[in-house]
Amino acid sequence: GAVVSQHPSWVICKSGTSVKIECRSLDFQATTMFWYRQFPKQSLMLMATSNEGSKATYEQGVEKDKFLINHASLTLSTLTVTSAHPEDSSFYICSARDLGTHTYEQYFGPGTRLTVT
Amino acid sequence: QQQVKQSPQSLIVQKGGISIINCAYENTAFDYFPWYQQFPGKGPALLIAIRPDVSEKKEGRFTISFNKSAKQFSLHIMDSQPGDSATYFCAASMWARGGTSYGKLTFGQGTILTVHP
């Protein structure tokens, strides 16, 4: 089946620093990837849609200058949290759709736990 | 109009029992309704999904019932097992109309299922 990986699985950073999270589709190509944020015991909230070769589309209320998204290839999207603050601590999850299928199914990565101290 | 409302918030079932989780939506443009299972610290995994042109879909112990006129859909887990203990999310997305909402998943609030042995 289609596999999506994320790296790192968890990261701790100091307030004011930046951290990059990678999302890779391992065995399929994805023109579109989605980035979600999930706070403890809450649902997933879509942050942005990442499109290969073009600018990401951000959801209302998400700061595009703070959450930089780059989708440089059909198998890799990155999310960079710039000038991180403790309130950015969360579980970040990406998903991708297999370009080669005609289904609506999205495959989710295992998530990245970010802790900002 | 983009919301998906899920209930109950938590559910306790005995082993072998039936677990039922309900979701309701407002936006009639939604045309894909998946259910996801999430274990602590992991990304969501697709369980089963349905399109609005069918009223029921069954895969193993999991069944989706879909009521288009009522704009409701539900997940039934038959013969619930302790290993089913997890958080379940319903979701909805629209594909046919395209545009900026193309493929975006809107999640319900989640249901924490506990199956006692």
Side-chain angles (χ1 to χ4, degrees):
Chain A
V3 178
V4 176
S5 70
Q6 285 185 237
H7 178 80
S9 56
W10 59 271
V11 58
I12 301 173
C13 71
K14 292 187 176 182
S15 186
T17 62
S18 296
V19 61
K20 180 183 288 187
I21 302 170
E22 292 185 349
C23 176
R24 292 182 184 273
S25 54
L26 297 186
D27 50 2
F28 66 97
Q29 293 183 326
T31 55
T32 301
M33 292 182 174
F34 301 90
W35 286 96
Y36 298 83
R37 181 167 51 181
Q38 186 178 33
F39 292 107
K41 298 190 183 301
Q42 293 189 23
S43 188
L44 286 80
M45 295 299 295
L46 179 66
M47 298 175 65
T49 303
S50 171
N51 300 296
E52 187 267 338
S54 64
K55 292 183 178 180
T57 303
Y58 291 83
E59 295 300 299
Q60 192 172 9
V62 177
E63 301 174 60
K64 59 183 67 177
D65 293 331
K66 182 171 185 59
F67 298 99
L68 301 179
I69 291 173
N70 183 274
H71 195 151
S73 75
L74 287 173
T75 59
L76 173 64
S77 176
T78 61
L79 168 68
T80 301
V81 183
T82 63
S83 187
H85 289 96
E87 57 265 31
D88 298 324
S89 299
S90 187
F91 194 49
Y92 292 88
I93 310 170
C94 70
S95 72
R97 180 174 173 244
D98 189 342
L99 180 65
T101 70
H102 297 287
T103 69
Y104 298 162
E105 184 172 334
Q106 288 186 28
Y107 301 95
F108 281 82
T112 297
R113 174 77 58 194
L114 170 63
T115 301
V116 184
T117 61
Chain B
Q1 197 177 17
Q2 288 294 101
Q3 282 188 328
V4 177
K5 296 183 179 180
Q6 183 173 345
S7 63
Q9 196 171 15
S10 62
L11 180 62
I12 298 174
V13 175
Q14 293 296 317
K15 179 182 176 181
I18 302 174
S19 304
I20 302 174
I21 305 170
N22 302 297
C23 284
Y25 63 98
E26 288 295 324
N27 191 342
T28 56
F30 286 140
D31 54 13
Y32 175 68
F33 303 88
W35 283 90
Y36 291 90
Q37 178 189 58
Q38 185 180 32
F39 292 103
K42 306 294 184 183
L46 178 68
L47 270 178
I48 187 172
I50 199 168
R51 298 286 313 281
D53 51 348
V54 297
S55 60
E56 185 175 284
K57 183 176 181 181
K58 182 176 181 179
E59 290 183 1
R61 296 186 293 111
F62 302 95
T63 300
I64 298 180
S65 296
F66 187 82
N67 186 328
K68 187 174 181 178
S69 60
K71 293 185 284 187
Q72 296 175 347
F73 57 110
S74 61
L75 175 70
H76 295 233
I77 305 175
M78 311 299 288
D79 187 27
S80 298
Q81 299 296 313
D84 296 331
S85 297
T87 300
Y88 292 80
F89 292 97
C90 64
S93 66
M94 61 183 81
W95 290 97
R97 292 193 182 180
T100 57
S101 296
Y102 186 73
K104 293 181 183 179
L105 282 169
T106 299
F107 282 85
Q109 295 83 353
T111 296
I112 301 173
L113 172 64
T114 303
V115 181
H116 286 316

